[in-house]
Amino acid sequence: MDAGNIIQYQDRVLAGDKLTESQLGELINCIDLKTLSSAANKITRQFRGSKVDIEQLANIKKNFCSEDCVFCGQSAFFNSGNEGYQLLPAEEIVKTAKKARDEGAESYCLVAAWREPSDTDFLKVCDIITKIRDQVGISLECSLGFLTNEQAKKLKELGVKRYNHNLETARSKFSQICTTHTYQDRLDTLHIARNAGLELCTGGIIGMGETREQRLELISELSRLEPEEVTINLLVAIPGTPLELQTPISFEEILRVFAVTRFALPKSIIKISGGREVHLEDSGEELLLSGANGIISSGYLTLSGNPMNKDLEMIKNIKLEA
């Protein structure tokens, strides 16, 4: 595929057409990454403007998860050396939500390391959400594992805007990544959240030994779901997990994923998530000009991140808006 073909696909997306999986495959395999990057950036600017969406996370319950996801330092199956804690007090989470708001974060996502919330824990989470809603006034998102229809409706009722539940990888790769639940379980939860009126945030992790074709497979699944937000993580190989010796993928492969995801989902927020401070020397500047338009700042679930002021300066340096 030459530059002219890339521009043709760019113009089709700008005109409102949806590309097929075959066409996305041509893009992800193209040689001309400069034109691919530029085209993805043009699509981003038309549909999303110059604003970078900045989110902070709250790891409200850490470690001891019953699932065996091989990338995860919070799984009870692996000895990653991370200390854990049960559900944090509401007052502590409200305090960090206020800090996130004051630093300039647009959204705050409550994340819990479990398969699904128990009835008791779900009530506690609802109390946390209510206190943040009433005392802080920041856009709230949740990532609480599998949900029932009733739980999803309750989150919507309490004012939660968006639900995060990552597909993690391609369907064809998933059984090598997790055996304690299925890919369909994850899709079902996304449909439950959507049916309850919640916006969707979903995505995955690249660099877990998947092929380029499997990355395309994930992008195509995301395209069918049409989530409001896509979160793309770069694997950080955590000691004690089965992927601790996994070789990082190249920046060129990372760029292909972000750029082609933009062609597939021109109107979505596409967020550079875990691993950007580890794998990207510029903390994401080039990717924010190649299809991405969001970041997670100030740390992740088990990893530290850039302080907000550094990320705000990075965004300013590339003449985008925070």
Side-chain angles (χ1 to χ4, degrees):
M1 169 174 264
D2 59 23
N5 295 125
I6 296 172
I7 299 303
Q8 284 181 14
Y9 284 160
Q10 166 205 282
D11 291 343
R12 290 184 61 174
V13 172
L14 292 174
D17 292 345
K18 192 171 182 70
L19 299 185
T20 66
E21 183 168 357
S22 175
Q23 291 165 338
L24 295 173
E26 291 179 57
L27 289 167
I28 206 169
N29 287 307
C30 76
I31 297 173
D32 188 352
L33 295 186
K34 184 177 181 180
T35 301
L36 181 69
S37 169
S38 176
N41 188 48
K42 186 171 183 178
I43 294 168
T44 306
R45 302 286 83 84
Q46 172 161 315
F47 288 102
R48 299 297 315 188
S50 59
K51 190 83 167 64
V52 176
D53 186 285
I54 304 175
E55 178 182 354
Q56 287 193 26
L57 304 178
N59 194 355
I60 63 174
K61 185 267 179 186
K62 184 179 179 183
N63 289 5
F64 318 119
C65 181
S66 64
E67 306 307 283
D68 67 353
C69 305
V70 296
F71 55 82
C72 187
Q74 298 195 88
S75 171
F77 284 79
F78 316 124
N79 182 15
S80 63
N82 287 325
E83 293 185 4
Y85 47 77
Q86 295 303 320
L87 202 58
L88 292 171
E91 294 72 21
E92 185 174 336
I93 302 170
V94 168
K95 183 177 179 180
T96 57
K98 287 179 179 177
K99 181 174 182 289
R101 178 202 62 192
D102 293 345
E103 288 179 343
E106 295 180 58
S107 57
Y108 196 63
C109 186
L110 307 178
V111 186
W114 52 41
R115 176 186 174 92
E116 59 204 358
S118 67
D119 291 343
T120 299
D121 282 336
F122 187 73
L123 288 174
K124 291 178 181 177
V125 172
C126 289
D127 179 58
I128 292 166
I129 292 168
T130 301
K131 284 183 167 64
I132 293 175
R133 182 195 65 197
D134 295 345
Q135 299 177 36
V136 182
I138 190 171
S139 180
L140 266 178
E141 305 179 14
C142 287
S143 182
L144 307 173
F146 301 126
L147 290 180
T148 65
N149 290 303
E150 293 71 23
Q151 288 170 336
K153 291 174 183 175
K154 183 63 176 179
L155 293 178
K156 175 66 177 177
E157 178 187 316
L158 291 175
V160 172
K161 180 178 182 179
R162 191 173 294 150
Y163 197 74
N164 167 260
H165 198 65
N166 286 345
L167 293 176
E168 307 302 12
T169 189
R171 185 188 290 268
S172 64
K173 178 73 174 176
F174 191 82
S175 63
Q176 298 174 39
I177 299 300
C178 180
T179 67
T180 49
H181 61 265
T182 68
Y183 194 80
Q184 190 60 48
D185 289 333
R186 290 190 164 266
L187 284 172
D188 290 346
T189 295
L190 289 167
H191 291 310
I192 286 170
R194 175 72 87 198
N195 290 339
L198 294 164
E199 291 187 5
L200 297 186
C201 172
T202 186
I205 305 170
I206 57 176
M208 296 194 293
E210 75 283 348
T211 64
R212 187 186 292 174
E213 289 71 25
Q214 287 172 322
R215 292 176 206 130
L216 173 64
E217 186 184 338
L218 174 59
I219 293 169
S220 299
E221 188 73 69
L222 295 172
S223 180
R224 288 188 286 273
L225 287 167
E226 296 189 337
E228 285 76 11
E229 181 177 318
V230 174
T231 176
I232 300 173
N233 298 271
L234 316 174
L235 178 72
V236 176
I238 297 174
T241 66
L243 295 183
E244 65 178 337
L245 300 179
Q246 185 67 43
T247 302
I249 60 173
S250 68
F251 177 74
E252 288 74 16
E253 290 301 314
I254 295 170
L255 187 147
R256 290 177 193 275
V257 171
F258 278 89
V260 175
T261 301
R262 176 55 68 196
F263 274 84
L265 291 163
K267 298 180 181 180
S268 298
I269 297 168
I270 298 175
K271 193 159 282 181
I272 319 168
S273 302
R276 72 180 170 92
E277 296 89 348
V278 176
H279 295 298
L280 305 177
E281 292 182 5
D282 64 3
S283 287
E285 289 186 11
E286 188 168 351
L287 293 182
L288 286 170
L289 298 173
S290 303
N293 69 314
I295 58 171
I296 294 173
S297 187
S298 301
Y300 305 91
L301 302 182
T302 61
L303 301 168
S304 60
N306 288 341
M308 277 285 290
N309 62 342
K310 182 176 180 180
D311 281 335
L312 292 172
E313 185 65 27
M314 179 265 290
I315 292 167
K316 181 180 177 182
N317 287 342
I318 53 177
K319 297 179 171 56
L320 295 179
E321 300 172 19

